[in-house]
Amino acid sequence: MGKLSVRDLAVRGKRVLMRVDYNVPMAEKDGQMVINDATRIKETLPTLDLLIQGGARIILAAHLGRPDGKREPSMSLRPVAAKLADMLGRPVAFSDDCIGEKASKTAEALKDGDILLLENTRFYPEEEDNEPSFAEKLAASAEIYVNDAFGAAHRAHASTAGAAGVVARRGGACAAGLLMERELKFLGDELENPARPFVVILGGAKVSDKIKVIDRLLEKADTVLVGGAMAYTFRLAQGYKTGKSLVEPDAIHVAVRALAKAADRGVRFLLPTDNVIATPFNTGKLNKKGKPVFEFRDERLNASLDIPDDCEGFDIGPATAKRYAEVIRASKTILWNGPMGMFEDSRFAASTNEVARAVAETTQKSGAKSIIGGGDSVKAINLAGLGSQVTFMSTGGGASLEFLEGSTLPGVAALSDKR
Ligand code: AMP
């Protein structure tokens, strides 16, 4: 059953506690914390506009960083309140405590359309413990609960789950914000009954991180295209040499099972047939974490399925990228999770960019739906300047992956069902 949407609510004069994802990247500049990228704030504006127009009295709750349950000035949300006020062109009140008398008084003084941002909920350890009395305090003056923080919905915290329970027990509605609603639509409903052919592009570092996603999507997809380092664990499972490539010998059984399931269900399952490889060279230096720093030298094409012993595979090769692009161009639904190679290094970004171009072009020219499943694939699409040409880019990292696995996210489960 679908979840209640913020669009279904009558909010005039009501105090709405809204969980948002304002975990924005910040850096210190001249002794002050400055926001480096306000995308996450911008993404909440449609829901905020709707609530403001509807006459709600808005109380925003969010976390920033990992203060480990202590008050950490560099992780204060105060600069976010100022930025949000700027972006909305209206005042945003700030309470330097997310619970207690000051927060309640400010919340109770709100007029229709006013906004209050509460201080970082993670300044209290009770937030991540989802401690009931803390959730009760956080929701003290809330009559309605809205969650627009998909990126935090896989956590059962007081602000994502507990507070919704408090509001629901009082008979208040708990609804998805517009951003959350879009995430549930594209990562959920659209993939339940996808227009076919449905292609799933999987990449990234580890097979083990994506076991459940692979397993579930093999039940939906017509074709699976595999890239990234995870492809080498599949090749290892098939008995090929993978040299020094990033492989997971412990996950070979996962690869074997996935290949068998694909064959069993008639899902076309493609692995790279050529790769860009390089020779790792230990510089003798250590990075900040004390780990040895490697340089990757002499990058070149390897057209064999075996990778030489002293080499590492860093990208799928041009023939594979071309083949993958052809499959993508013939698809009506495209789901992409994980880059095709170590795209942060431009020498190994070519195939990720080619896949990104094929996804964008197919969306624009043949009306396919393209869904980018969060994290590094979103980064890669944006880096290629194609962010505006795909149907949907998830704002979640871990949350997207868990949702695609078919798991029930606590922050979603806490919302009221649509009647
Ligand atoms: P994930 O978080 O599992 O989607 O993995 C993303 C990371 O995988 C990115 O930082 C990529 O640099 C990395 N990656 C992708 N392909 C390779 C590869 N062939 N070798 C090493 N790292 C890779």
Side-chain angles (χ1 to χ4, degrees):
M1 195 190 302
K3 291 293 178 185
L4 195 66
S5 158
V6 65
R7 288 177 294 122
D8 304 328
L9 304 175
V11 293
R12 185 158 305 279
K14 296 269 171 58
R15 276 184 301 273
V16 176
L17 176 64
M18 173 164 151
R19 177 55 157 102
V20 284
D21 184 357
Y22 286 167
N23 191 20
V24 289
M26 289 215 201
E28 197 187 316
K29 202 174 161 205
D30 305 327
Q32 284 203 321
M33 295 307 289
V34 179
I35 298 166
N36 281 338
D37 179 351
T39 309
R40 286 185 167 156
I41 305 176
K42 191 171 152 218
E43 276 163 347
T44 64
L45 298 184
T47 307
L48 285 175
D49 281 338
L50 186 78
L51 287 173
I52 294 165
Q53 296 313 319
R57 303 172 175 197
I58 306 159
I59 307 159
L60 299 174
H63 80 275
L64 178 63
R66 295 190 170 156
D68 288 335
K70 292 186 294 289
R71 194 166 267 276
E72 170 53 57
S74 68
M75 295 179 196
S76 170
L77 282 167
R78 191 182 283 277
V80 175
K83 183 76 187 172
L84 177 62
D86 239 28
M87 292 167 98
L88 282 169
R90 58 195 302 140
V92 172
F94 181 73
S95 161
D96 64 7
D97 200 342
C98 65
I99 56 168
E101 203 176 325
K102 232 193 311 179
S104 302
K105 279 203 172 134
T106 323
E108 272 149 34
L110 293 172
K111 306 222 165 33
D112 295 1
D114 282 355
I115 304 173
L116 160 69
L117 174 62
L118 302 173
E119 182 56 289
N120 194 342
T121 51
R122 288 198 189 166
F123 281 180
Y124 287 90
E126 293 89 338
E127 157 71 345
E128 291 188 59
D129 294 342
N130 194 9
E131 211 269 318
S133 67
F134 177 77
E136 194 76 49
K137 288 177 200 161
L138 196 60
S141 41
E143 295 157 281
I144 289 173
Y145 175 88
V146 170
N147 194 341
D148 219 10
F150 180 75
H154 57 320
R155 312 275 186 219
H157 292 171
S159 64
T160 57
V166 173
V167 171
R169 280 193 292 281
R170 280 192 213 128
C174 299
L178 299 177
L179 182 61
M180 171 76 87
E181 199 184 10
R182 272 170 64 73
E183 296 275 3
L184 302 183
K185 170 175 153 61
F186 284 106
L187 295 183
D189 305 344
E190 291 282 350
L191 300 182
E192 244 353 279
N193 291 301
R196 297 192 178 276
F198 174 29
V199 64
V200 174
I201 313 159
L202 288 176
K206 292 182 170 174
V207 174
S208 57
D209 286 346
K210 301 194 178 162
I211 301 173
K212 289 193 198 148
V213 172
I214 298 172
D215 199 54
R216 173 147 185 271
L217 292 174
L218 276 171
E219 284 163 21
K220 308 256 174 218
D222 298 297
T223 306
V224 176
L225 307 175
V226 180
M230 65 186 268
Y232 303 121
T233 299
F234 282 93
R235 285 300 187 204
L236 196 63
Q238 291 173 326
Y240 292 102
K241 289 185 175 173
T242 51
K244 288 193 156 47
S245 305
L246 186 61
V247 286
E248 293 174 283
D250 293 349
I252 280 183
H253 64 286
V254 177
V256 170
R257 221 183 309 138
L259 289 166
K261 186 164 178 174
D264 203 39
R265 301 187 67 93
V267 176
R268 191 156 55 140
F269 198 91
L270 301 187
L271 292 167
T273 49
D274 61 344
N275 292 281
V276 178
I277 60 168
T279 314
F281 170 81
N282 192 337
T283 58
K285 295 178 194 153
L286 298 179
N287 66 13
K288 277 187 205 149
K289 290 182 181 160
K291 298 235 169 87
V293 176
F294 283 86
E295 268 174 18
F296 306 113
R297 295 181 174 172
D298 192 19
E299 67 278 4
R300 59 199 185 276
L301 178 66
N302 181 62
S304 155
L305 295 186
D306 288 307
I307 292 178
D309 289 345
D310 61 338
C311 291
E312 192 168 344
F314 286 110
D315 194 10
I316 63 175
T320 307
K322 188 163 174 264
R323 174 101 203 275
Y324 285 10
E326 281 162 14
V327 175
I328 292 165
R329 287 199 174 90
S331 299
K332 284 279 169 252
T333 308
I334 304 161
L335 172 67
W336 184 11
N337 184 292
M340 297 290 95
M342 201 170 73
F343 72 105
E344 296 92 340
D345 182 328
S346 61
R347 294 174 299 166
F348 310 119
S351 69
T352 298
N353 287 337
E354 175 147 2
V355 163
R357 274 193 302 274
V359 171
E361 259 175 53
T362 313
T363 313
Q364 296 301 315
K365 288 194 185 147
S366 53
K369 277 190 185 136
S370 52
I371 299 162
I372 316 300
D376 273 323
S377 357
V378 169
K379 224 188 271 173
I381 281 259
N382 281 331
L383 219 63
L386 298 168
S388 62
Q389 297 185 37
V390 295
T391 312
F392 180 71
M393 291 198 289
S394 176
T395 56
S400 319
L401 210 57
E402 284 191 32
F403 197 65
L404 288 172
E405 285 171 0
S407 307
T408 305
L409 307 187
V412 177
L415 303 178
S416 321
D417 290 326
K418 218 173 207 149
R419 276 176 231 270

